[in-house]
Amino acid sequence: MIDLHSHTRFSDGSTTPAELICLAASAGARAVAITDHDTVDGLPEGRRAAQESGIEFVDGVEISADFQPGTMHILGYCFDPSSKELNLALEKLRVARSERNPQIASRLRALGLEVHYDEVVGLAGNEVVGRPHFARVMVTKGYVASIKEAFDRFLAKGQAAYVEKHRLSPADSIELIRKAGGVAILAHPYQMKLSDEDTEDQIKRLKDQGLDGIEAIYSRLNSVEREKYISLADRLGMLVSGGSDFHGSFKPDISLVTGLGDLQVPYEALGKIKALAALRSRPSLT
Ligand code: AMP
Ligand code: ZN
Ligand code: FE
Ligand code: FE
């Protein structure tokens, strides 16, 4: 089995890339992608550790696109991590984060929660500070009992401490990944919060914009839902991907590779992603 969706301390996961690869090895994974939010800086460490463990490593990234009513995250795989254009765009997204984050802290203080941005930065210890870091500080200070409660009551879209940040459009997110030589996959499609019919229409539009596939095999989906997205991908002639969305202690119920216990992502999914990426980088073979 494999896992194509995971986060490390380079964004809002709790493990280092090397620790994550150790967990993957213990779980018997054949291949793993690290897909941190808005950064590719953890990939070299992950790749080195994977080489030592005899696990196949896949370069990945997760970009949050501008979308309503839910959220739309685009995963990129098998791109050139040294692409200038990609790195510049990700840097801009990190700047947008650092503009948004202090505003979340002030909103929380206005609501009577003494949360200071420097504490949150200190906890994150990296360039990509995200809402889960705020949630952890809120738990530590006793304002909420869990990270989930912090989101449900304060941090989730629509709650009082939610602050928008500048995002790329879906089309630009896809183009960024494709221009860096990568394959673009729609993460956890249900989080767009659309009806089945609107989900299909939306994915068709994204496909016209260059989207390659759908993350149909995901921790928080049951087997019926997974089948639904797999058959949608088949119908639209798109790839199927899958992963746990492991965040370590920031999402304590989700394990790497096995998700909530029933996750099984076949190697074949990665085989197809790699084949597509290879075809694109050597178009003479088509
Ligand atoms: P950010 O990129 O800082 O806006 O935060 C995104 C992170 O927050 C991702 O790891 C999401 O999985 C997590 N997240 C977003 N909404 C929720 C929610 N309602 N409950 C728990 N985690 C969430
Ligand atoms: Zn995350
Ligand atoms: Fe996501
Ligand atoms: Fe994720």
Side-chain angles (χ1 to χ4, degrees), residues 8-10 15-22 34 36 40-53 57 59:
T8 74
R9 286 185 58 81
F10 279 81
T15 70
T16 65
E19 286 163 353
L20 186 143
I21 295 299
C22 270
I34 287 177
D36 275 313
V40 294
D41 293 350
L43 300 178
E45 179 186 330
R47 181 168 286 285
R48 267 194 312 276
Q51 252 155 18
E52 283 166 18
S53 300
F57 188 76
D59 290 317

Side-chain angles (χ1 to χ4, degrees), residues 7 11-12 37 62 132 245 247 251:
H7 298 269
S11 64
D12 54 8
H37 301 280
E62 184 172 22
D245 209 357
H247 281 71
K251 292 189 183 177

Side-chain angles (χ1 to χ4, degrees), residues 146-221:
S146 64
I147 287 179
K148 182 177 184 311
E149 188 188 339
F151 273 93
D152 291 348
R153 288 180 53 202
F154 298 101
L155 299 171
K157 202 168 187 169
Q159 298 305 313
Y162 180 78
V163 181
E164 273 299 340
K165 66 178 182 313
H166 166 75
R167 296 168 191 269
L168 292 176
S169 70
D172 287 347
S173 309
I174 294 166
E175 189 189 0
L176 186 65
I177 292 163
R178 293 274 306 255
K179 274 194 171 166
V183 168
I185 302 281
L186 176 64
H188 39 61
Y190 72 96
Q191 288 182 14
M192 295 190 297
K193 297 209 165 105
L194 300 175
S195 66
D196 284 354
E197 201 185 326
D198 290 348
T199 297
E200 178 159 346
D201 288 346
Q202 181 60 241
I203 291 176
K204 281 181 185 157
R205 275 197 292 279
L206 293 172
K207 187 188 178 209
D208 290 340
Q209 295 167 353
L211 185 75
D212 298 302
I214 309 172
E215 186 179 55
I217 311 172
Y218 185 75
S219 294
R220 297 208 194 281
L221 294 176

Side-chain angles (χ1 to χ4, degrees), residues 21 40 64 92 136 138 163 170 205 234 277:
I21 295 299
V40 294
S64 312
K92 273 195 194 161
R136 169 62 54 77
M138 291 158 73
V163 181
R205 275 197 292 279
D234 287 347

Side-chain angles (χ1 to χ4, degrees), residues 90-102:
L90 295 177
E91 174 62 30
K92 273 195 194 161
L93 294 176
R94 295 195 292 266
V95 169
R97 260 175 200 284
S98 60
E99 287 166 0
R100 173 201 68 168
N101 285 336

